[in-house]
Amino acid sequence: MSNPEDIPSRLEGKNVARLVCCILGIGSLVAWNAMLTITDYYYQIFPKYHPSRVLTIVYQLFANVFIITLAFKEAKLNTRFRNIFGYSLYTAGTFCLIILDLASHGSGSVAAYVVLCLIVAVFGVADAVVQGAMVGDLSYMCPEFIQAFMGGLGIAGVLTSGLRLITKAIFDKSHDGLRKGALLFIGIATLIQLACVFLYTLVFAKLPIVKYYRAKAGKEGAKTVSADLAAAGLQDQAEQVQQMDESKIQKLTKKQLLRENIDLEINLFLIYVVTLSIFPGFLYENTGEHRLGDWYAPVLVAMYNGWDAIARFIPSIKVLAIESRKWITVCVVARFLLVPAFYFTAKYADQGWMLFLTSFLGLTNGYLTVCIFSTAPKGYNGPEANALGNLMCVFLLGGIFAGVCLGWLWLIGNDSF
């Protein structure tokens, strides 16, 4: 580990960079959250195909395969190209959802479902491309940037849930209202993705504070920053980074980084095992009928997303952040009590308790995620922090995939299984 260099007392663009990081966080998850939030529409046209579970597995299968590959090749990858390509892939995917629905006229055919799965696979690839690149890139910058990006991931959920409830209310009584609301919703998501492409391409790299951190990482041997340095007008630094002798760069190997942070990596994995074993499949298929009717599942998803987003900004208040690895582990293990709690609540309690539990699930998910991502990169130099950020994303997506697979166990004994 290296001692951090003195940071200039005043670096311009910090607040703008935090805002851009937040928007980029929204863009990296809004496509998938859009899919989750309009699942009520996909249940209407594909009622026998378990869309919330099947689509999630397709998404995570591709995301995990690609994130593992990219994480172990991260030092040789062009971060700028990787992020621009990933956000462009998201934009194309959301636009293709609109084309698919218009071409199939909202039919529930097998062919339409297969194409839908292929589009979701594209989202999985884009997630692996963007998530690791952005987290790795921000890990060697100031903690506020990674917190803002993680906060954006939570806001994506709130934004999509809020828009979904609004569009559902607007078109609820109209003919084919669910479909109209879904199409409007996907259109908005496409515009958000397009905005992220332009923000990353034209704004983020040129901010003075971002230039500083990337130049610093370049001096420490991070060759991934060369294209962004060149785009920011720092041609000399970009050339120096490219010509640097890798054999003279002192940095920990990925195996050493894994060993030093295995507790945080496993905790991150377990957080998402619990969360995705419940959300969203259990909320759509195992909570029964209630007074809210077909509004019940969208409201539960909105409650989860709302508290998840709020919780992601809590660690930015230093006194409220957990930095002790031991206490993070205690909190992560305690979350497993949520599994029996959801089971007995769905079976015996009313919808008020389910709303409370879902809110608590989101609160703990967002809070612990940000605490881990803020704590892990401290004390590492640029190349090490970038590599560690990519490895942390491997465990995050691995936990999501494991949780999604375990979510199928809720269907045992269910007539629809």
Side-chain angles (χ1 to χ4, degrees):
M1 296 184 184
S2 64
N3 294 321
E5 297 179 11
D6 293 331
I7 299 175
S9 59
R10 183 175 180 180
L11 286 171
E12 296 180 359
K14 185 174 183 178
N15 290 332
V16 176
R18 290 178 68 183
L19 177 61
V20 173
C21 287
C22 186
I23 296 172
L24 291 173
I26 294 172
S28 69
L29 201 57
V30 73
W32 177 237
N33 270 9
M35 292 293 301
L36 293 181
T37 311
I38 62 172
T39 302
D40 54 344
Y41 171 58
Y42 288 127
Y43 269 99
Q44 183 186 77
I45 59 177
F46 304 113
K48 298 180 180 179
Y49 300 146
H50 303 290
S52 72
R53 299 181 193 273
V54 173
L55 296 179
T56 307
I57 282 185
V58 172
Y59 179 93
Q60 291 304 326
L61 181 61
F62 278 83
N64 275 271
V65 170
F66 277 86
I67 192 66
I68 291 170
T69 304
L70 293 171
F72 284 93
K73 299 287 185 181
E74 52 79 29
K76 300 183 182 298
L77 298 175
N78 181 324
T79 300
R80 182 173 178 79
F81 172 78
R82 184 175 168 183
N83 279 320
I84 293 173
F85 175 73
Y87 282 114
S88 299
L89 208 57
Y90 271 134
T91 306
T94 50
F95 186 65
C96 285
L97 285 177
I98 299 174
I99 295 174
L100 171 64
D101 195 88
L102 294 175
S104 64
H105 304 288
S107 69
S109 67
V110 175
Y113 193 66
V114 171
V115 174
L116 179 63
C117 288
L118 291 175
I119 294 172
V120 169
V122 169
F123 287 154
V125 175
D127 188 6
V129 171
V130 167
Q131 190 108 226
M134 284 301 303
V135 171
D137 203 29
L138 299 178
S139 291
Y140 56 75
M141 300 186 192
C142 58
E144 291 91 340
F145 290 0
I146 194 73
Q147 289 170 354
F149 180 78
M150 291 293 163
L153 298 180
I155 291 174
V158 174
L159 182 65
T160 51
S161 289
L163 286 172
R164 186 65 188 125
L165 292 176
I166 292 170
T167 54
K168 186 176 176 63
I170 292 173
F171 296 108
D172 194 36
K173 302 299 182 182
S174 66
H175 172 68
D176 213 10
L178 200 57
R179 183 188 178 208
K180 292 176 183 175
L183 286 173
L184 175 61
F185 188 77
I186 297 169
I188 294 171
T190 304
L191 294 176
I192 293 172
Q193 300 290 358
L194 190 60
C196 288
V197 175
F198 286 105
L199 277 175
Y200 187 87
T201 305
L202 304 175
V203 178
F204 190 60
K206 297 180 181 179
L207 296 172
I209 190 170
V210 175
K211 288 183 183 181
Y212 166 78
Y213 280 113
R214 282 180 171 154
K216 178 175 178 288
K219 291 177 183 177
E220 294 168 343
K223 292 196 170 186
T224 56
V225 302
S226 60
D228 277 308
L229 289 174
L234 304 176
Q235 296 289 347
D236 293 340
Q237 289 93 324
E239 290 177 7
Q240 290 172 8
V241 171
Q242 283 293 344
Q243 295 169 4
M244 196 172 292
D245 186 356
E246 291 190 28
S247 63
K248 295 181 180 179
I249 299 172
Q250 294 184 346
K251 62 179 180 179
L252 297 176
T253 65
K254 291 182 178 65
K255 186 180 291 187
Q256 290 171 319
L257 290 169
L258 279 169
R259 192 184 305 121
E260 290 185 359
N261 296 278
I262 192 64
D263 57 333
L264 293 179
E265 291 154 353
I266 291 176
N267 283 334
L268 193 60
F269 178 86
L270 294 177
I271 287 171
Y272 285 86
V273 165
V274 172
T275 299
L276 270 294
S277 66
I278 297 168
F279 177 89
F282 179 88
L283 302 183
Y284 273 102
E285 297 188 11
N286 296 90
T287 51
E289 298 293 333
H290 295 273
R291 291 190 301 275
L292 288 172
D294 62 356
W295 283 82
Y296 188 49
V299 168
L300 287 175
V301 171
M303 292 298 292
Y304 168 87
N305 285 329
W307 284 104
D308 177 68
I310 292 170
R312 287 170 185 263
F313 290 95
I314 294 175
S316 62
I317 304 171
K318 193 169 180 61
V319 295
L320 298 179
I322 298 178
E323 296 184 353
S324 166
R325 296 188 175 209
K326 179 180 71 176
W327 281 109
I328 288 175
T329 301
V330 169
C331 293
V332 170
V333 173
R335 282 185 91 239
F336 276 88
L337 294 173
L338 286 170
V339 175
F342 269 93
Y343 173 79
F344 287 110
T345 299
K347 197 167 186 178
Y348 301 111
D350 61 19
Q351 61 189 25
W353 283 105
M354 184 61 72
L355 288 167
F356 168 77
L357 267 185
T358 304
S359 300
F360 189 73
L361 180 73
L363 180 71
T364 53
N365 184 84
Y367 176 75
L368 291 171
T369 296
V370 175
C371 285
I372 289 174
F373 274 104
S374 299
T375 300
K378 289 182 178 178
Y380 292 104
N381 64 28
E384 292 166 347
N386 185 55
L388 181 58
N390 276 268
L391 291 173
M392 298 296 287
C393 288
V394 170
F395 282 85
L396 184 151
L397 290 176
I400 292 174
F401 184 61
V404 169
C405 293
L406 290 172
W408 284 85
L409 296 177
W410 293 109
L411 293 180
I412 294 176
N414 191 321
D415 292 338
S416 63
F417 186 67

